[in-house]
Amino acid sequence: MTTGVDLGVPATQAIRSDEDVVRVRQLVRTTAVAVRLSLVDQTKLVTAASELARNTLIYGGGGSAEVSTVEDGRRRGVRILFADEGPGIPDLDLALTDGYTTGGGLGLGLSGARRLVDDFDIQTAVGEGTRITVTKWSR
Amino acid sequence: MERVPILKIGDILLVSIQVDMSDQTAIQLQEDLAERIVATSCHGVIIDITALDIVDSFVGRMLSTIASISKVLDAETVVVGMRPAVAITLVELGLSLNGIRTALNVERGMELIAASRADEPDEGADDEDTETTATA
C-alpha cells in the first residue's frame, strides 16, 4: 500500500482525448518541479504518466488523472491516481509482462511505467474499471 | 492539431520537434515525412529531439517507424539531441529504439549521413580509377 499524507488540493485532469494526455504530462511536470524532484526523476515520472494516461484513454475508454503532492516526514513526492470505468484487466500478471499488448502497442506501457516510479498500486475489476496509483519521491 | 514542420537543407530533411506532441501529431509527422522524402528525393532525415523532455513508448515507436519507412524509400534517418535524462528513462522503460541511428547533434548527424552515402559502392567504381591515375 502507499504511504504518506496529502498536501494541498489535488489537481484533476480529465482524459478524454489525445490532447488531454499532453495536458496530463504538463500537469505532472509542473507538480514534479514544484516538489523539486531531480531532472531524471521528473523525466521518469512524466514518462510513466504519459504511458498510464494513454492506457486510460485507449484501454479504459477515458477517465481521469488526479495529481497531488505528498509527504512522509522525510521527503516529498508526487502521487498520481489514474482512474477509469472501462472493462478492467482480466489477467493482471499478463498485463504487467513486458511486450504483452492487446492494443497493438509495444506492450511496455504498464510494465515500463511500474519500473519508472517508486510506488505502484493497481486495482482492477472486470467490467468495473481500473485504478492505478503511482508515487515518485524526492531523494 | 499542431503540425511539425519539415525543412529541406541540401540533400537532407531536418525535423526539429519543438512541441509536446499529441499521438495524432506524431502519426501526422510520420506521414508528412514519407511524402516529403519522395517529393524531394532526399537521402537523409535528421530528427532533432533536443527540445523533447520525454520520449515515451509511443514516440519511441514513431521514431523506429520513421527510420523503417525512410529506409524503404532510400533515405537514412538519424535521431539527434537526445537529453541524458531522456536516454536514462528510455532504457529503464525498456525501449531499445531498434534500427535507429543516433548522433549527439545535428552537425554530427549530417556527417554520419554523408559518410554512409559515401560508403555506398554503386557509383564509385570509375572515380577510384581516375583518382589513382591522377596522383601517379
Side-chain angles (χ1 to χ4, degrees), chain A residues 18-19 22 25-26 29 43-44 46-47 50-51 54 104-106 108 112 115-116, chain B residues 20-24 53-58 61 85-86 88-89 92-95:
Chain A
D18 257 15
E19 300 296 332
V22 175
R25 289 203 288 260
Q26 286 162 354
R29 164 76 63 183
T43 306
K44 288 180 180 177
V46 175
T47 306
S50 185
E51 301 292 346
R54 184 178 295 109
L106 294 172
L108 289 173
R115 280 194 293 272
L116 293 173
Chain B
D20 193 344
M21 287 188 295
S22 71
D23 292 359
Q24 211 47 52
D53 46 32
I54 68 151
V55 171
D56 64 9
S57 66
F58 194 88
R61 182 168 62 155
V86 171
I88 292 168
T89 302
E92 203 156 318
L93 184 63
L95 214 60

PDB file of all heavy atoms in Angstrom, chain A residues 18-19 22 25-26 29 43-44 46-47 50-51 54 104-106 108 112 115-116, chain B residues 20-24 53-58 61 85-86 88-89 92-95:
ATOM      1  N   ASP A  18      -6.477  12.625 -27.046  1.00  0.00           N
ATOM      2  CA  ASP A  18      -5.038  12.782 -27.235  1.00  0.00           C
ATOM      3  C   ASP A  18      -4.458  14.012 -26.548  1.00  0.00           C
ATOM      4  O   ASP A  18      -3.419  13.967 -25.925  1.00  0.00           O
ATOM      5  CB  ASP A  18      -4.821  13.031 -28.737  1.00  0.00           C
ATOM      6  CG  ASP A  18      -4.309  11.806 -29.423  1.00  0.00           C
ATOM      7  OD1 ASP A  18      -4.392  10.737 -28.812  1.00  0.00           O
ATOM      8  OD2 ASP A  18      -3.822  11.942 -30.548  1.00  0.00           O
ATOM      9  N   GLU A  19      -5.159  15.129 -26.743  1.00  0.00           N
ATOM     10  CA  GLU A  19      -4.680  16.400 -26.206  1.00  0.00           C
ATOM     11  C   GLU A  19      -4.677  16.369 -24.678  1.00  0.00           C
ATOM     12  O   GLU A  19      -3.847  17.007 -24.035  1.00  0.00           O
ATOM     13  CB  GLU A  19      -5.568  17.561 -26.699  1.00  0.00           C
ATOM     14  CG  GLU A  19      -5.605  17.726 -28.224  1.00  0.00           C
ATOM     15  CD  GLU A  19      -4.248  18.094 -28.797  1.00  0.00           C
ATOM     16  OE1 GLU A  19      -3.442  18.727 -28.088  1.00  0.00           O
ATOM     17  OE2 GLU A  19      -3.978  17.731 -29.964  1.00  0.00           O
ATOM     18  N   VAL A  22      -1.495  14.991 -23.332  1.00  0.00           N
ATOM     19  CA  VAL A  22      -0.470  16.043 -23.304  1.00  0.00           C
ATOM     20  C   VAL A  22      -0.653  16.906 -22.051  1.00  0.00           C
ATOM     21  O   VAL A  22       0.306  17.249 -21.361  1.00  0.00           O
ATOM     22  CB  VAL A  22      -0.543  16.922 -24.582  1.00  0.00           C
ATOM     23  CG1 VAL A  22       0.439  18.079 -24.501  1.00  0.00           C
ATOM     24  CG2 VAL A  22      -0.276  16.080 -25.823  1.00  0.00           C
ATOM     25  N   ARG A  25       0.636  15.220 -18.936  1.00  0.00           N
ATOM     26  CA  ARG A  25       2.106  15.330 -18.883  1.00  0.00           C
ATOM     27  C   ARG A  25       2.520  16.678 -18.321  1.00  0.00           C
ATOM     28  O   ARG A  25       3.415  16.771 -17.476  1.00  0.00           O
ATOM     29  CB  ARG A  25       2.707  15.173 -20.281  1.00  0.00           C
ATOM     30  CG  ARG A  25       2.640  13.790 -20.852  1.00  0.00           C
ATOM     31  CD  ARG A  25       3.703  13.580 -21.918  1.00  0.00           C
ATOM     32  NE  ARG A  25       3.454  14.278 -23.173  1.00  0.00           N
ATOM     33  CZ  ARG A  25       2.938  13.689 -24.262  1.00  0.00           C
ATOM     34  NH1 ARG A  25       2.595  12.427 -24.239  1.00  0.00           N
ATOM     35  NH2 ARG A  25       2.774  14.367 -25.380  1.00  0.00           N
ATOM     36  N   GLN A  26       1.864  17.748 -18.819  1.00  0.00           N
ATOM     37  CA  GLN A  26       2.255  19.094 -18.397  1.00  0.00           C
ATOM     38  C   GLN A  26       1.932  19.337 -16.926  1.00  0.00           C
ATOM     39  O   GLN A  26       2.731  19.925 -16.194  1.00  0.00           O
ATOM     40  CB  GLN A  26       1.573  20.131 -19.302  1.00  0.00           C
ATOM     41  CG  GLN A  26       2.242  20.154 -20.689  1.00  0.00           C
ATOM     42  CD  GLN A  26       1.393  20.799 -21.778  1.00  0.00           C
ATOM     43  OE1 GLN A  26       0.235  21.138 -21.542  1.00  0.00           O
ATOM     44  NE2 GLN A  26       1.964  20.952 -22.964  1.00  0.00           N
ATOM     45  N   ARG A  29       4.473  17.415 -14.857  1.00  0.00           N
ATOM     46  CA  ARG A  29       5.764  18.092 -14.925  1.00  0.00           C
ATOM     47  C   ARG A  29       5.792  19.283 -13.959  1.00  0.00           C
ATOM     48  O   ARG A  29       6.720  19.446 -13.179  1.00  0.00           O
ATOM     49  CB  ARG A  29       6.026  18.545 -16.371  1.00  0.00           C
ATOM     50  CG  ARG A  29       7.123  19.574 -16.573  1.00  0.00           C
ATOM     51  CD  ARG A  29       8.513  19.024 -16.464  1.00  0.00           C
ATOM     52  NE  ARG A  29       8.794  18.042 -17.499  1.00  0.00           N
ATOM     53  CZ  ARG A  29       9.938  17.366 -17.574  1.00  0.00           C
ATOM     54  NH1 ARG A  29      10.894  17.559 -16.685  1.00  0.00           N
ATOM     55  NH2 ARG A  29      10.145  16.489 -18.524  1.00  0.00           N
ATOM     56  N   THR A  43      11.701  13.369 -15.332  1.00  0.00           N
ATOM     57  CA  THR A  43      11.566  12.755 -16.655  1.00  0.00           C
ATOM     58  C   THR A  43      10.929  11.370 -16.551  1.00  0.00           C
ATOM     59  O   THR A  43      10.051  11.016 -17.330  1.00  0.00           O
ATOM     60  CB  THR A  43      12.954  12.663 -17.326  1.00  0.00           C
ATOM     61  OG1 THR A  43      13.539  13.967 -17.314  1.00  0.00           O
ATOM     62  CG2 THR A  43      12.853  12.172 -18.755  1.00  0.00           C
ATOM     63  N   LYS A  44      11.374  10.595 -15.551  1.00  0.00           N
ATOM     64  CA  LYS A  44      10.816   9.254 -15.360  1.00  0.00           C
ATOM     65  C   LYS A  44       9.329   9.330 -15.023  1.00  0.00           C
ATOM     66  O   LYS A  44       8.517   8.576 -15.561  1.00  0.00           O
ATOM     67  CB  LYS A  44      11.564   8.512 -14.251  1.00  0.00           C
ATOM     68  CG  LYS A  44      12.957   8.072 -14.658  1.00  0.00           C
ATOM     69  CD  LYS A  44      13.646   7.337 -13.525  1.00  0.00           C
ATOM     70  CE  LYS A  44      15.041   6.899 -13.962  1.00  0.00           C
ATOM     71  NZ  LYS A  44      15.764   6.239 -12.855  1.00  0.00           N
ATOM     72  N   VAL A  46       7.132  11.820 -15.575  1.00  0.00           N
ATOM     73  CA  VAL A  46       6.309  12.328 -16.677  1.00  0.00           C
ATOM     74  C   VAL A  46       6.140  11.251 -17.749  1.00  0.00           C
ATOM     75  O   VAL A  46       5.055  11.085 -18.324  1.00  0.00           O
ATOM     76  CB  VAL A  46       6.918  13.618 -17.281  1.00  0.00           C
ATOM     77  CG1 VAL A  46       6.122  14.073 -18.497  1.00  0.00           C
ATOM     78  CG2 VAL A  46       6.957  14.738 -16.244  1.00  0.00           C
ATOM     79  N   THR A  47       7.208  10.474 -17.987  1.00  0.00           N
ATOM     80  CA  THR A  47       7.124   9.400 -18.974  1.00  0.00           C
ATOM     81  C   THR A  47       6.129   8.336 -18.514  1.00  0.00           C
ATOM     82  O   THR A  47       5.281   7.880 -19.289  1.00  0.00           O
ATOM     83  CB  THR A  47       8.511   8.770 -19.211  1.00  0.00           C
ATOM     84  OG1 THR A  47       9.433   9.809 -19.558  1.00  0.00           O
ATOM     85  CG2 THR A  47       8.477   7.740 -20.325  1.00  0.00           C
ATOM     86  N   SER A  50       2.664   9.585 -18.907  1.00  0.00           N
ATOM     87  CA  SER A  50       2.253   9.585 -20.306  1.00  0.00           C
ATOM     88  C   SER A  50       1.756   8.199 -20.716  1.00  0.00           C
ATOM     89  O   SER A  50       0.716   8.062 -21.369  1.00  0.00           O
ATOM     90  CB  SER A  50       3.436  10.014 -21.175  1.00  0.00           C
ATOM     91  OG  SER A  50       3.053  10.135 -22.511  1.00  0.00           O
ATOM     92  N   GLU A  51       2.489   7.165 -20.312  1.00  0.00           N
ATOM     93  CA  GLU A  51       2.090   5.784 -20.630  1.00  0.00           C
ATOM     94  C   GLU A  51       0.737   5.463 -19.994  1.00  0.00           C
ATOM     95  O   GLU A  51      -0.152   4.893 -20.637  1.00  0.00           O
ATOM     96  CB  GLU A  51       3.126   4.777 -20.102  1.00  0.00           C
ATOM     97  CG  GLU A  51       4.544   4.946 -20.655  1.00  0.00           C
ATOM     98  CD  GLU A  51       4.657   4.622 -22.132  1.00  0.00           C
ATOM     99  OE1 GLU A  51       3.718   4.021 -22.694  1.00  0.00           O
ATOM    100  OE2 GLU A  51       5.681   4.979 -22.743  1.00  0.00           O
ATOM    101  N   ARG A  54      -2.244   7.353 -21.475  1.00  0.00           N
ATOM    102  CA  ARG A  54      -2.617   6.783 -22.768  1.00  0.00           C
ATOM    103  C   ARG A  54      -3.401   5.493 -22.564  1.00  0.00           C
ATOM    104  O   ARG A  54      -4.393   5.232 -23.249  1.00  0.00           O
ATOM    105  CB  ARG A  54      -1.369   6.536 -23.620  1.00  0.00           C
ATOM    106  CG  ARG A  54      -1.720   6.022 -25.016  1.00  0.00           C
ATOM    107  CD  ARG A  54      -0.500   5.820 -25.884  1.00  0.00           C
ATOM    108  NE  ARG A  54       0.192   7.071 -26.166  1.00  0.00           N
ATOM    109  CZ  ARG A  54       1.375   7.396 -25.654  1.00  0.00           C
ATOM    110  NH1 ARG A  54       2.002   6.564 -24.848  1.00  0.00           N
ATOM    111  NH2 ARG A  54       1.929   8.533 -25.956  1.00  0.00           N
ATOM    112  N   GLY A 104      -2.045  -3.315 -29.837  1.00  0.00           N
ATOM    113  CA  GLY A 104      -1.189  -3.022 -30.976  1.00  0.00           C
ATOM    114  C   GLY A 104      -0.016  -2.121 -30.651  1.00  0.00           C
ATOM    115  O   GLY A 104       0.691  -1.665 -31.526  1.00  0.00           O
ATOM    116  N   GLY A 105       0.213  -1.857 -29.362  1.00  0.00           N
ATOM    117  CA  GLY A 105       1.369  -1.048 -28.974  1.00  0.00           C
ATOM    118  C   GLY A 105       2.587  -1.923 -28.757  1.00  0.00           C
ATOM    119  O   GLY A 105       2.641  -3.055 -29.243  1.00  0.00           O
ATOM    120  N   LEU A 106       3.548  -1.403 -28.021  1.00  0.00           N
ATOM    121  CA  LEU A 106       4.777  -2.157 -27.785  1.00  0.00           C
ATOM    122  C   LEU A 106       4.673  -3.054 -26.545  1.00  0.00           C
ATOM    123  O   LEU A 106       5.555  -3.847 -26.282  1.00  0.00           O
ATOM    124  CB  LEU A 106       5.954  -1.198 -27.603  1.00  0.00           C
ATOM    125  CG  LEU A 106       6.348  -0.367 -28.818  1.00  0.00           C
ATOM    126  CD1 LEU A 106       7.386   0.662 -28.425  1.00  0.00           C
ATOM    127  CD2 LEU A 106       6.895  -1.257 -29.916  1.00  0.00           C
ATOM    128  N   LEU A 108       4.823  -2.010 -23.485  1.00  0.00           N
ATOM    129  CA  LEU A 108       5.755  -1.540 -22.451  1.00  0.00           C
ATOM    130  C   LEU A 108       5.103  -0.536 -21.501  1.00  0.00           C
ATOM    131  O   LEU A 108       5.689  -0.154 -20.509  1.00  0.00           O
ATOM    132  CB  LEU A 108       6.973  -0.875 -23.098  1.00  0.00           C
ATOM    133  CG  LEU A 108       7.934  -1.799 -23.817  1.00  0.00           C
ATOM    134  CD1 LEU A 108       8.996  -0.981 -24.547  1.00  0.00           C
ATOM    135  CD2 LEU A 108       8.606  -2.754 -22.853  1.00  0.00           C
ATOM    136  N   GLY A 112       6.578  -0.876 -18.088  1.00  0.00           N
ATOM    137  CA  GLY A 112       7.599   0.162 -18.106  1.00  0.00           C
ATOM    138  C   GLY A 112       7.310   1.247 -17.085  1.00  0.00           C
ATOM    139  O   GLY A 112       8.186   1.687 -16.347  1.00  0.00           O
ATOM    140  N   ARG A 115       8.305   0.346 -13.591  1.00  0.00           N
ATOM    141  CA  ARG A 115       9.750   0.460 -13.324  1.00  0.00           C
ATOM    142  C   ARG A 115      10.200   1.905 -13.086  1.00  0.00           C
ATOM    143  O   ARG A 115      11.217   2.146 -12.448  1.00  0.00           O
ATOM    144  CB  ARG A 115      10.551  -0.111 -14.503  1.00  0.00           C
ATOM    145  CG  ARG A 115      10.669  -1.606 -14.509  1.00  0.00           C
ATOM    146  CD  ARG A 115      11.746  -2.055 -15.495  1.00  0.00           C
ATOM    147  NE  ARG A 115      11.367  -1.774 -16.880  1.00  0.00           N
ATOM    148  CZ  ARG A 115      10.661  -2.610 -17.642  1.00  0.00           C
ATOM    149  NH1 ARG A 115      10.260  -3.751 -17.154  1.00  0.00           N
ATOM    150  NH2 ARG A 115      10.365  -2.298 -18.877  1.00  0.00           N
ATOM    151  N   LEU A 116       9.450   2.858 -13.640  1.00  0.00           N
ATOM    152  CA  LEU A 116       9.890   4.257 -13.600  1.00  0.00           C
ATOM    153  C   LEU A 116       9.463   4.999 -12.335  1.00  0.00           C
ATOM    154  O   LEU A 116       9.889   6.115 -12.097  1.00  0.00           O
ATOM    155  CB  LEU A 116       9.351   5.010 -14.828  1.00  0.00           C
ATOM    156  CG  LEU A 116       9.929   4.581 -16.188  1.00  0.00           C
ATOM    157  CD1 LEU A 116       9.202   5.280 -17.322  1.00  0.00           C
ATOM    158  CD2 LEU A 116      11.422   4.867 -16.253  1.00  0.00           C
TER     159      LEU A 116
ATOM    160  N   ASP B  20       5.227  19.626 -27.502  1.00  0.00           N
ATOM    161  CA  ASP B  20       4.857  18.402 -26.814  1.00  0.00           C
ATOM    162  C   ASP B  20       3.792  17.735 -27.697  1.00  0.00           C
ATOM    163  O   ASP B  20       2.653  18.169 -27.743  1.00  0.00           O
ATOM    164  CB  ASP B  20       4.287  18.755 -25.429  1.00  0.00           C
ATOM    165  CG  ASP B  20       4.172  17.526 -24.548  1.00  0.00           C
ATOM    166  OD1 ASP B  20       4.237  16.399 -25.083  1.00  0.00           O
ATOM    167  OD2 ASP B  20       4.021  17.698 -23.328  1.00  0.00           O
ATOM    168  N   MET B  21       4.215  16.719 -28.457  1.00  0.00           N
ATOM    169  CA  MET B  21       3.340  16.155 -29.482  1.00  0.00           C
ATOM    170  C   MET B  21       2.223  15.290 -28.904  1.00  0.00           C
ATOM    171  O   MET B  21       2.474  14.430 -28.067  1.00  0.00           O
ATOM    172  CB  MET B  21       4.154  15.265 -30.431  1.00  0.00           C
ATOM    173  CG  MET B  21       5.056  15.987 -31.388  1.00  0.00           C
ATOM    174  SD  MET B  21       5.746  14.796 -32.559  1.00  0.00           S
ATOM    175  CE  MET B  21       6.730  13.787 -31.465  1.00  0.00           C
ATOM    176  N   SER B  22       1.028  15.478 -29.413  1.00  0.00           N
ATOM    177  CA  SER B  22      -0.030  14.505 -29.147  1.00  0.00           C
ATOM    178  C   SER B  22       0.248  13.310 -30.050  1.00  0.00           C
ATOM    179  O   SER B  22       1.007  13.419 -31.020  1.00  0.00           O
ATOM    180  CB  SER B  22      -1.401  15.096 -29.454  1.00  0.00           C
ATOM    181  OG  SER B  22      -1.555  15.243 -30.848  1.00  0.00           O
ATOM    182  N   ASP B  23      -0.372  12.175 -29.747  1.00  0.00           N
ATOM    183  CA  ASP B  23      -0.152  10.979 -30.563  1.00  0.00           C
ATOM    184  C   ASP B  23      -0.538  11.224 -32.019  1.00  0.00           C
ATOM    185  O   ASP B  23       0.124  10.758 -32.944  1.00  0.00           O
ATOM    186  CB  ASP B  23      -0.960   9.804 -30.001  1.00  0.00           C
ATOM    187  CG  ASP B  23      -0.414   9.353 -28.636  1.00  0.00           C
ATOM    188  OD1 ASP B  23       0.582   9.946 -28.180  1.00  0.00           O
ATOM    189  OD2 ASP B  23      -0.988   8.417 -28.053  1.00  0.00           O
ATOM    190  N   GLN B  24      -1.603  12.003 -32.212  1.00  0.00           N
ATOM    191  CA  GLN B  24      -2.071  12.298 -33.558  1.00  0.00           C
ATOM    192  C   GLN B  24      -1.052  13.127 -34.335  1.00  0.00           C
ATOM    193  O   GLN B  24      -0.829  12.894 -35.520  1.00  0.00           O
ATOM    194  CB  GLN B  24      -3.412  13.050 -33.455  1.00  0.00           C
ATOM    195  CG  GLN B  24      -4.348  12.799 -34.612  1.00  0.00           C
ATOM    196  CD  GLN B  24      -4.487  11.320 -34.968  1.00  0.00           C
ATOM    197  OE1 GLN B  24      -4.775  10.503 -34.106  1.00  0.00           O
ATOM    198  NE2 GLN B  24      -4.246  10.979 -36.224  1.00  0.00           N
ATOM    199  N   ASP B  53      11.241  16.848 -23.748  1.00  0.00           N
ATOM    200  CA  ASP B  53      11.686  16.482 -22.407  1.00  0.00           C
ATOM    201  C   ASP B  53      11.281  15.062 -22.007  1.00  0.00           C
ATOM    202  O   ASP B  53      11.723  14.579 -20.978  1.00  0.00           O
ATOM    203  CB  ASP B  53      11.332  17.532 -21.348  1.00  0.00           C
ATOM    204  CG  ASP B  53       9.921  18.018 -21.441  1.00  0.00           C
ATOM    205  OD1 ASP B  53       9.045  17.245 -21.842  1.00  0.00           O
ATOM    206  OD2 ASP B  53       9.695  19.181 -21.115  1.00  0.00           O
ATOM    207  N   ILE B  54      10.474  14.400 -22.807  1.00  0.00           N
ATOM    208  CA  ILE B  54      10.325  12.954 -22.639  1.00  0.00           C
ATOM    209  C   ILE B  54      10.174  12.268 -23.995  1.00  0.00           C
ATOM    210  O   ILE B  54       9.725  12.875 -24.966  1.00  0.00           O
ATOM    211  CB  ILE B  54       9.104  12.548 -21.770  1.00  0.00           C
ATOM    212  CG1 ILE B  54       7.792  12.874 -22.473  1.00  0.00           C
ATOM    213  CG2 ILE B  54       9.153  13.151 -20.378  1.00  0.00           C
ATOM    214  CD1 ILE B  54       6.663  11.947 -22.069  1.00  0.00           C
ATOM    215  N   VAL B  55      10.573  11.001 -24.043  1.00  0.00           N
ATOM    216  CA  VAL B  55      10.243  10.134 -25.172  1.00  0.00           C
ATOM    217  C   VAL B  55       9.582   8.911 -24.558  1.00  0.00           C
ATOM    218  O   VAL B  55      10.233   8.141 -23.852  1.00  0.00           O
ATOM    219  CB  VAL B  55      11.505   9.730 -25.972  1.00  0.00           C
ATOM    220  CG1 VAL B  55      11.166   8.667 -27.003  1.00  0.00           C
ATOM    221  CG2 VAL B  55      12.105  10.942 -26.665  1.00  0.00           C
ATOM    222  N   ASP B  56       8.290   8.761 -24.765  1.00  0.00           N
ATOM    223  CA  ASP B  56       7.616   7.589 -24.206  1.00  0.00           C
ATOM    224  C   ASP B  56       7.548   6.495 -25.271  1.00  0.00           C
ATOM    225  O   ASP B  56       8.120   6.638 -26.354  1.00  0.00           O
ATOM    226  CB  ASP B  56       6.238   7.968 -23.641  1.00  0.00           C
ATOM    227  CG  ASP B  56       5.290   8.466 -24.721  1.00  0.00           C
ATOM    228  OD1 ASP B  56       5.620   8.356 -25.913  1.00  0.00           O
ATOM    229  OD2 ASP B  56       4.220   8.965 -24.350  1.00  0.00           O
ATOM    230  N   SER B  57       6.853   5.401 -24.962  1.00  0.00           N
ATOM    231  CA  SER B  57       6.868   4.271 -25.896  1.00  0.00           C
ATOM    232  C   SER B  57       6.205   4.632 -27.225  1.00  0.00           C
ATOM    233  O   SER B  57       6.607   4.124 -28.267  1.00  0.00           O
ATOM    234  CB  SER B  57       6.200   3.045 -25.270  1.00  0.00           C
ATOM    235  OG  SER B  57       4.827   3.267 -25.059  1.00  0.00           O
ATOM    236  N   PHE B  58       5.250   5.545 -27.204  1.00  0.00           N
ATOM    237  CA  PHE B  58       4.576   5.915 -28.454  1.00  0.00           C
ATOM    238  C   PHE B  58       5.515   6.683 -29.377  1.00  0.00           C
ATOM    239  O   PHE B  58       5.640   6.368 -30.565  1.00  0.00           O
ATOM    240  CB  PHE B  58       3.317   6.735 -28.165  1.00  0.00           C
ATOM    241  CG  PHE B  58       2.421   6.861 -29.364  1.00  0.00           C
ATOM    242  CD1 PHE B  58       1.453   5.911 -29.624  1.00  0.00           C
ATOM    243  CD2 PHE B  58       2.575   7.917 -30.242  1.00  0.00           C
ATOM    244  CE1 PHE B  58       0.651   6.014 -30.747  1.00  0.00           C
ATOM    245  CE2 PHE B  58       1.773   8.026 -31.373  1.00  0.00           C
ATOM    246  CZ  PHE B  58       0.807   7.074 -31.617  1.00  0.00           C
ATOM    247  N   ARG B  61       8.254   4.457 -30.630  1.00  0.00           N
ATOM    248  CA  ARG B  61       7.817   3.622 -31.743  1.00  0.00           C
ATOM    249  C   ARG B  61       7.723   4.438 -33.024  1.00  0.00           C
ATOM    250  O   ARG B  61       8.070   3.965 -34.107  1.00  0.00           O
ATOM    251  CB  ARG B  61       6.459   2.981 -31.431  1.00  0.00           C
ATOM    252  CG  ARG B  61       5.997   2.064 -32.546  1.00  0.00           C
ATOM    253  CD  ARG B  61       4.836   1.223 -32.134  1.00  0.00           C
ATOM    254  NE  ARG B  61       3.682   2.039 -31.802  1.00  0.00           N
ATOM    255  CZ  ARG B  61       2.430   1.595 -31.883  1.00  0.00           C
ATOM    256  NH1 ARG B  61       2.195   0.360 -32.254  1.00  0.00           N
ATOM    257  NH2 ARG B  61       1.429   2.372 -31.564  1.00  0.00           N
ATOM    258  N   ALA B  85      18.707  12.701 -19.494  1.00  0.00           N
ATOM    259  CA  ALA B  85      17.618  12.172 -18.657  1.00  0.00           C
ATOM    260  C   ALA B  85      16.637  11.345 -19.492  1.00  0.00           C
ATOM    261  O   ALA B  85      16.067  10.361 -19.015  1.00  0.00           O
ATOM    262  CB  ALA B  85      16.883  13.315 -17.957  1.00  0.00           C
ATOM    263  N   VAL B  86      16.469  11.748 -20.745  1.00  0.00           N
ATOM    264  CA  VAL B  86      15.576  11.006 -21.642  1.00  0.00           C
ATOM    265  C   VAL B  86      16.185   9.640 -21.966  1.00  0.00           C
ATOM    266  O   VAL B  86      15.499   8.622 -21.972  1.00  0.00           O
ATOM    267  CB  VAL B  86      15.306  11.813 -22.939  1.00  0.00           C
ATOM    268  CG1 VAL B  86      14.571  10.966 -23.971  1.00  0.00           C
ATOM    269  CG2 VAL B  86      14.503  13.068 -22.623  1.00  0.00           C
ATOM    270  N   ILE B  88      18.301   7.897 -20.139  1.00  0.00           N
ATOM    271  CA  ILE B  88      18.223   7.064 -18.927  1.00  0.00           C
ATOM    272  C   ILE B  88      16.815   6.476 -18.787  1.00  0.00           C
ATOM    273  O   ILE B  88      16.630   5.281 -18.534  1.00  0.00           O
ATOM    274  CB  ILE B  88      18.572   7.905 -17.672  1.00  0.00           C
ATOM    275  CG1 ILE B  88      20.058   8.291 -17.700  1.00  0.00           C
ATOM    276  CG2 ILE B  88      18.232   7.153 -16.387  1.00  0.00           C
ATOM    277  CD1 ILE B  88      20.444   9.351 -16.668  1.00  0.00           C
ATOM    278  N   THR B  89      15.815   7.330 -18.997  1.00  0.00           N
ATOM    279  CA  THR B  89      14.421   6.903 -18.848  1.00  0.00           C
ATOM    280  C   THR B  89      14.021   5.874 -19.906  1.00  0.00           C
ATOM    281  O   THR B  89      13.346   4.894 -19.609  1.00  0.00           O
ATOM    282  CB  THR B  89      13.486   8.133 -18.926  1.00  0.00           C
ATOM    283  OG1 THR B  89      13.874   9.045 -17.897  1.00  0.00           O
ATOM    284  CG2 THR B  89      12.039   7.746 -18.740  1.00  0.00           C
ATOM    285  N   GLU B  92      15.335   2.472 -18.992  1.00  0.00           N
ATOM    286  CA  GLU B  92      14.592   1.884 -17.882  1.00  0.00           C
ATOM    287  C   GLU B  92      13.178   1.463 -18.306  1.00  0.00           C
ATOM    288  O   GLU B  92      12.651   0.463 -17.844  1.00  0.00           O
ATOM    289  CB  GLU B  92      14.525   2.877 -16.717  1.00  0.00           C
ATOM    290  CG  GLU B  92      14.296   2.184 -15.398  1.00  0.00           C
ATOM    291  CD  GLU B  92      14.803   3.028 -14.245  1.00  0.00           C
ATOM    292  OE1 GLU B  92      15.901   3.613 -14.361  1.00  0.00           O
ATOM    293  OE2 GLU B  92      14.095   3.110 -13.253  1.00  0.00           O
ATOM    294  N   LEU B  93      12.616   2.235 -19.208  1.00  0.00           N
ATOM    295  CA  LEU B  93      11.298   1.898 -19.734  1.00  0.00           C
ATOM    296  C   LEU B  93      11.339   0.578 -20.504  1.00  0.00           C
ATOM    297  O   LEU B  93      10.350  -0.147 -20.576  1.00  0.00           O
ATOM    298  CB  LEU B  93      10.812   3.038 -20.645  1.00  0.00           C
ATOM    299  CG  LEU B  93       9.414   2.980 -21.246  1.00  0.00           C
ATOM    300  CD1 LEU B  93       8.359   3.013 -20.150  1.00  0.00           C
ATOM    301  CD2 LEU B  93       9.194   4.152 -22.202  1.00  0.00           C
ATOM    302  N   GLY B  94      12.497   0.265 -21.075  1.00  0.00           N
ATOM    303  CA  GLY B  94      12.651  -0.995 -21.801  1.00  0.00           C
ATOM    304  C   GLY B  94      12.599  -0.820 -23.308  1.00  0.00           C
ATOM    305  O   GLY B  94      12.459  -1.776 -24.050  1.00  0.00           O
ATOM    306  N   LEU B  95      12.728   0.437 -23.751  1.00  0.00           N
ATOM    307  CA  LEU B  95      12.642   0.732 -25.176  1.00  0.00           C
ATOM    308  C   LEU B  95      14.033   0.672 -25.797  1.00  0.00           C
ATOM    309  O   LEU B  95      14.943   1.319 -25.320  1.00  0.00           O
ATOM    310  CB  LEU B  95      12.074   2.143 -25.326  1.00  0.00           C
ATOM    311  CG  LEU B  95      11.190   2.420 -26.517  1.00  0.00           C
ATOM    312  CD1 LEU B  95       9.982   1.514 -26.462  1.00  0.00           C
ATOM    313  CD2 LEU B  95      10.738   3.870 -26.480  1.00  0.00           C
TER     314      LEU B  95
END
